[in-house]
Amino acid sequence: MNQHSLKKSQEFSQFKILLPILIPIIFFSLLPLGRGIYLGFTDYTLGSSIKFNGFENYFQLFKDHYFWKSFQVGIVWTIAVSFGQLILGMGLALLLHSGIKFFSIYSVLIVIPWAMPPIIRGIVWRQIYDPDSGILNSVLMHLNMIMHPINWLSSFEHVIPAVIVAGIWGGVPQTTIFLLAGLKNISTDVYDAAKLDGAGIWTKFSKITLPLLKPTLAAVLSLNFLWNFNSFGLVWVLTQGGPGGLTRLPMLAAYEEAFRYGYVGYAAAIGNVMIIILSVVLYFYLRIQFKEQVKA
Amino acid sequence: MRTNNMQEIVLKGIRQIIMLILLIYLVFPFIWLVSISFKSTTEILTGGMHVIPKDFYFDHYRSILNDSNLIQSVFNSLVVSIFSMTIAVMIALPAAYSLVRFKTTIKNVVLGWILASQIFPAILIIIPLYMVLRYLHLTDSIFGLTMVYVVWELPFVLWMLFGYIKNIPLELEEAAFIDGATKLQYVYRILFPVILPAIGATAIFAFIISWNEFLFALVLMKNPENITLPVQLSRFTGMEGQARIGLLAAASCLATIPSLILFTFMRKGFKSGLVAGSVKI
């Protein structure tokens, strides 16, 4: 068999094995996705016929004050939550990796937020932040840190930090587990050598751990970026995007446009703009990964 | 040497203290949820800082048993999650194997889809998906939602299995092929038991992805008999508000238990770095 037909037959036999995943992927992912991207270039509203209108949606988006605000909130939220998760996750991973006592108890406890569906995360934090019966106000008033109960989720100054704290909380476990796995992949020989050279904790961290962990850190941070930018359930339960649209993340904005007002085409256009932003994140991630591979 | 020892002890103490602070942040919200699920509605609404309820109150849990809508939604969630998890893992296993072994164009297409699927906002898929499902007469059906979740889990399942299978030595399959096994026989009879722990971990993640999923279920399921647990719980938060918070807390605790049990099973996995294979992206 010559090279060409060998490749052909390989291609075909792989196609056969992949068929059970290709069919659902095509029907439930690729086709709807292509259709969705196309809808972003139409004036489709629920119940009407679909008409192509080119870039009309995007000119409108450009002038839409609410859209800009929602993207602004989305980016603030995404950056704050992703970095918060990374920093806390890194701290936890280092602690767990340091041969800490009670490791097995801790490793079970830290996954608790992850085990809760986003809707329930929202329910819990709404209860904590509740102005009248919430425990946060009770504790702060007991400690004399505040005089009057604060309405965390409906005050303009407090709502964004409040939502971010809840958002970080939900993603710390995943981040920790991924980083812990990354730490375990670093060979202990490197540390032993550094110890012989008399390196301190900080030197070991900044000169060995951090550089060797860079690919994992980049992967975790990019994935968190993608997931947080697309998040919906938690904030939906906490604030429904309020007060005054202050926490209206892009997904909530798109959901409202499509299902409250019926502007499906417009909502799809918002989705298309989100793809552009997320592709930029993905591009940087791939570049870092690629550079690492070239080095290695 | 002595000062070194002192340093070590102080360092250990500091570590435990930082750990404790982080644990309070991570664990307390759940403890609080459990706590209010055992409080009477009056006690919840008066506030206060008692983690242990003044009187243990079990009526919220009792009323869950009487709430047929809630029971139905738990059942729906279980069915959808278990079936989608099983289907996703079973069809992904040979696929992941072939993605590791063959270097063809389709391989790159599938790997590209796995990565790209993470950046597409669900909102873009959801409306056309509704149209596709309507065409197939699968709207508002448990089976339709199961298939949607299979595809929703696939990128993750494929990626994890891909990572594990990559580390399996080639000799294993060469031996199997010499004994006359076909590729599918090798995958299901030999590879499957060898990477069973990894498959278990993958399946757990797949289960939790659909158990937690909200947006698709919210949009695709309309009939009250078909809705899943997260959607059912979100209905409580809107209309009745604080009046049924105890019931809501109790139901939320129950909804957390399956994932919590599964994660506890995986504890060994975290320790041995089982998850590591999948994270080498």
Side-chain angles (χ1 to χ4, degrees), chain A residues 184-212:
Chain A
K184 282 189 198 295
N185 282 337
I186 300 176
S187 133
T188 47
D189 301 351
V190 197
Y191 289 104
D192 293 340
K195 208 172 182 179
L196 283 177
D197 290 342
I201 296 176
W202 174 247
T203 325
K204 275 196 272 185
F205 177 72
S206 63
K207 292 276 156 62
I208 301 175
T209 312
L210 225 41
L212 286 176

Side-chain angles (χ1 to χ4, degrees), chain B residues 11-233:
Chain B
L11 201 66
K12 272 186 183 158
I14 293 173
R15 276 187 196 142
Q16 292 289 351
I17 291 166
I18 301 174
M19 190 77 208
L20 207 69
I21 294 169
L22 288 171
L23 273 183
I24 291 173
Y25 174 48
L26 290 179
V27 180
F28 181 77
F30 180 68
I31 295 175
W32 190 240
L33 184 71
V34 176
S35 155
I36 55 180
S37 75
F38 287 109
K39 285 177 180 170
S40 67
T41 310
T42 355
E43 197 187 336
I44 299 172
L45 293 182
T46 44
M49 299 183 293
H50 301 277
V51 174
I52 311 285
K54 285 184 193 131
D55 309 290
F56 273 88
Y57 185 83
F58 296 98
D59 276 17
H60 302 310
Y61 285 94
R62 261 181 228 128
S63 37
I64 288 177
L65 294 179
N66 296 327
D67 191 322
S68 57
N69 285 334
L70 205 56
I71 300 289
Q72 181 68 42
S73 71
V74 171
F75 180 74
N76 292 342
S77 269
L78 277 176
V79 168
V80 172
S81 306
I82 292 174
F83 276 99
S84 63
M85 164 192 91
T86 315
I87 297 172
V89 171
M90 290 318 280
I91 64 175
L93 192 62
Y97 161 74
S98 92
L99 289 177
V100 171
R101 286 288 171 261
F102 295 83
K103 290 173 178 49
T104 64
T105 331
I106 314 172
K107 170 185 174 156
N108 296 330
V109 173
V110 175
L111 289 181
W113 172 78
I114 292 175
L115 204 57
S117 66
Q118 298 301 306
I119 71 167
F120 290 112
I123 194 82
L124 273 182
I125 309 179
I126 216 159
I127 295 158
L129 192 59
Y130 184 80
M131 296 168 169
V132 172
L133 289 172
R134 199 174 48 189
Y135 180 75
L136 299 170
H137 299 287
L138 287 176
T139 43
D140 218 346
S141 100
I142 297 280
F143 178 69
L145 191 66
T146 305
M147 285 319 289
V148 171
Y149 281 172
V150 167
V151 177
W152 195 240
E153 293 162 11
L154 265 180
F156 192 78
V157 171
L158 279 170
W159 196 246
M160 283 188 77
L161 292 178
F162 182 79
Y164 295 128
I165 296 174
K166 218 163 58 178
N167 294 333
I168 300 290
L170 209 61
E171 288 81 17
L172 185 69
E173 71 187 82
E174 278 163 359
F177 294 149
I178 287 170
D179 290 343
T182 66
K183 285 202 178 73
L184 281 184
Q185 278 171 342
Y186 164 71
V187 167
Y188 286 119
R189 297 226 183 116
I190 298 168
L191 192 62
F192 186 87
V194 168
I195 60 165
L196 196 61
I199 289 177
T202 310
I204 287 172
F205 282 114
F207 178 91
I208 286 166
I209 288 174
S210 34
W211 180 259
N212 288 358
E213 206 285 328
F214 175 61
L215 189 55
F216 284 123
L218 178 70
V219 175
L220 298 177
M221 308 303 261
K222 289 286 171 256
N223 189 339
E225 279 175 20
N226 286 338
I227 63 175
T228 57
L229 186 56
V231 178
Q232 180 69 39
L233 291 178

Side-chain angles (χ1 to χ4, degrees), chain A residues 7 10-11 13-15 17-18 20-22 24-25 27-33 35-37 39 44 50 88 91-92 95-96 98 100-104 106-121 123-128 130 132-135 138-139 142 164-166 168-169 172-173 177-178 180-181 184-185 201 216 219-220 223 226-227 230 232-233 236-237 251 254-255 258-259 264 267-269 271-272 274-275 278-279 282 285-286 289 293, chain B residues 11 15-16 18-20 22-23 25-30 32-33 36 44-51 91-92 94-99 101-107 110 113 115-129 131-133 136 138 144 147-148 150-151 154 156 158 183-184 205 208 211-215 218-219 230-231 233-234 237-238 241-242 245 248-249 251-253 255-256 259-260 263-264 267 270-273 275-276 278-281:
Chain A
K7 184 122 200 260
Q10 255 209 354
E11 195 101 23
S13 73
Q14 177 165 44
F15 182 73
I17 296 181
L18 288 179
I21 67 161
L22 287 179
I25 286 175
F27 278 96
F28 295 102
S29 176
L30 290 180
L31 281 181
L33 201 60
R35 185 83 179 151
I37 293 172
L39 284 179
Y44 183 44
I50 301 175
L88 292 186
L92 270 170
L95 284 172
L96 289 172
S98 69
I100 196 166
K101 225 176 173 177
F102 312 118
F103 172 89
S104 36
Y106 293 154
S107 62
V108 173
L109 289 178
I110 63 152
V111 297
I112 286 178
W114 197 8
M116 301 166 87
I119 292 304
I120 295 177
R121 294 176 200 165
I123 292 168
V124 176
W125 282 93
R126 237 171 63 149
Q127 206 46 42
I128 290 174
D130 192 88
D132 306 313
S133 61
I135 184 146
S138 307
V139 170
H142 187 79
I164 287 173
V165 167
I168 292 175
W169 173 82
V172 169
I177 288 166
F178 283 175
L180 189 60
K184 282 189 198 295
N185 282 337
I201 296 176
T216 316
V220 170
L223 281 177
L226 304 181
W227 290 334
N230 281 333
F232 178 79
W236 172 258
V237 174
M251 272 296 269
Y255 178 84
F259 296 103
V264 177
N272 285 341
M274 289 172 72
I275 293 185
L278 294 171
S279 307
L282 195 67
Y285 159 65
L286 287 175
Q289 290 301 101
Q293 272 181 9
Chain B
L11 201 66
R15 276 187 196 142
Q16 292 289 351
I18 301 174
M19 190 77 208
L20 207 69
L22 288 171
L23 273 183
Y25 174 48
L26 290 179
V27 180
F28 181 77
F30 180 68
W32 190 240
L33 184 71
I36 55 180
I44 299 172
L45 293 182
T46 44
M49 299 183 293
H50 301 277
V51 174
I91 64 175
Y97 161 74
S98 92
L99 289 177
R101 286 288 171 261
F102 295 83
K103 290 173 178 49
T104 64
T105 331
I106 314 172
K107 170 185 174 156
V110 175
W113 172 78
L115 204 57
S117 66
Q118 298 301 306
I119 71 167
F120 290 112
I123 194 82
L124 273 182
I125 309 179
I126 216 159
I127 295 158
L129 192 59
M131 296 168 169
V132 172
L133 289 172
L136 299 170
L138 287 176
M147 285 319 289
V148 171
V150 167
V151 177
L154 265 180
F156 192 78
L158 279 170
K183 285 202 178 73
L184 281 184
F205 282 114
I208 286 166
W211 180 259
N212 288 358
E213 206 285 328
F214 175 61
L215 189 55
L218 178 70
V219 175
V231 178
L233 291 178
S234 81
T237 62
Q242 288 299 85
I245 184 67
L248 187 59
S252 301
C253 287
T256 307
S259 325
L260 215 53
F263 271 132
T264 316
R267 199 181 54 190
F270 298 142
K271 209 168 181 175
S272 65
V275 197
S278 61
V279 192
K280 279 188 205 152
I281 300 178

